[in-house]
Amino acid sequence: MIFSTREEAGRRLAELLEAYRGAPETVIVALPRGGVPVAAAMAEVLGLPLDIFFVKKIPSPYNEEAGIGAVSETGLMQVDSQAVEMLGVNDEYLQRRAQEKLEQMHRKRELYGRPRSDYRGKTVILTDDGIATGSSMLLAAEALRREGAKRVIIAVPVAPSELLPILEKVADEVYVLHPSDNLIAVGRFYRDFHQLNDSEVLDLLARAPRL
């Protein structure tokens, strides 16, 4: 265990990002739901607006918990070609499940009352409560850059050490408080890693300044 809560992890990340305190045209973007308390704490310390960006995994047809790809709310999709080939997954399945995920993300954005933001010319500090495989974070970084973000900074509490070179290829800067050589599960690095509900997310978003 390294962090007591996601909020503590966010405050510690903010210390690494002191140079961005109050920076113009800069926004902290969380991957919901787990990234929101991390981002909210960072936004409070650094005096920056908070936003959200949705990415969802595309599950295996044989195991809903195993991802074989991911899709962003902007429609950008990436798939694990090796897994797709091994499992014999066809394009129709991928497109159908991606559309389901897009609809889920649209409904969630409506629930949170946050229309999609314009990131053109912005510096985006992208965060989550941790990185396991990296698929969601890598896709989010690419999608935000395609949305016009001038710079993309990835800042997370914990990530596998072997992913750092890959993250550095898609981001302008990468900050990881605790790179791990043996990251089995992100939750093992927190004392409190409860599953956030929508009410908690709504409360955090309501208290944070908007872009």
Side-chain angles (χ1 to χ4, degrees):
M1 183 185 72
I2 304 296
F3 312 108
S4 57
T5 63
R6 293 178 175 93
E7 288 82 359
E8 181 207 331
R11 289 190 292 270
R12 288 172 57 181
L13 271 173
E15 294 175 6
L16 297 182
L17 295 159
E18 179 62 30
Y20 292 95
R21 181 184 293 271
E25 300 298 306
T26 300
V27 57
I28 298 175
V29 176
L31 298 184
R33 286 178 285 193
V36 175
V38 179
M42 293 167 65
E44 181 180 8
V45 173
L46 297 174
L48 293 173
L50 169 64
D51 203 16
I52 52 175
F53 188 78
F54 290 94
V55 172
K56 283 192 175 291
K57 69 182 178 185
I58 298 172
S60 161
Y62 308 107
N63 180 0
E64 283 288 318
E65 297 303 314
I68 57 173
V71 61
S72 77
E73 62 176 313
T74 58
L76 184 62
M77 183 169 69
Q78 291 179 350
V79 298
D80 182 339
S81 56
Q82 186 175 5
V84 166
E85 183 178 355
M86 183 177 68
L87 296 171
V89 177
N90 60 34
D91 188 62
E92 185 278 330
Y93 172 85
L94 292 171
Q95 296 297 330
R96 176 171 56 82
R97 296 309 302 266
Q99 185 58 40
E100 290 174 5
K101 299 303 179 181
L102 283 167
E103 292 169 1
Q104 290 174 15
M105 291 185 281
H106 177 70
R107 290 194 297 270
K108 193 68 73 172
R109 185 168 281 284
E110 286 192 331
L111 174 65
Y112 291 165
R114 287 285 186 109
R116 272 176 39 196
S117 297
D118 184 355
Y119 294 111
R120 287 176 294 183
K122 301 289 192 301
T123 293
V124 172
I125 300 173
L126 183 60
T127 192
D128 201 353
D129 51 19
I131 294 175
T133 65
S135 58
S136 294
M137 184 62 70
L138 292 167
L139 180 59
E142 177 63 24
L144 289 168
R145 204 178 287 284
R146 293 194 185 195
E147 288 296 293
K150 181 175 68 174
R151 300 182 76 241
V152 175
I153 299 162
I154 293 175
V156 291
V158 60
S161 303
E162 64 267 23
L163 279 183
L164 296 186
I166 300 172
L167 296 172
E168 288 166 354
K169 288 181 180 179
V170 301
D172 296 279
E173 296 178 65
V174 175
Y175 296 88
V176 180
L177 283 170
H178 189 75
S180 174
D181 293 330
N182 186 30
L183 202 161
I184 299 172
V186 169
R188 294 180 60 184
F189 293 85
Y190 290 86
R191 186 184 68 201
D192 175 6
F193 196 70
H194 71 279
Q195 181 71 36
L196 272 78
N197 58 46
D198 289 328
S199 295
E200 290 176 278
V201 173
L202 283 165
D203 181 58
L204 289 165
L205 293 176
R207 290 190 276 119
R210 295 191 179 204
L211 178 61

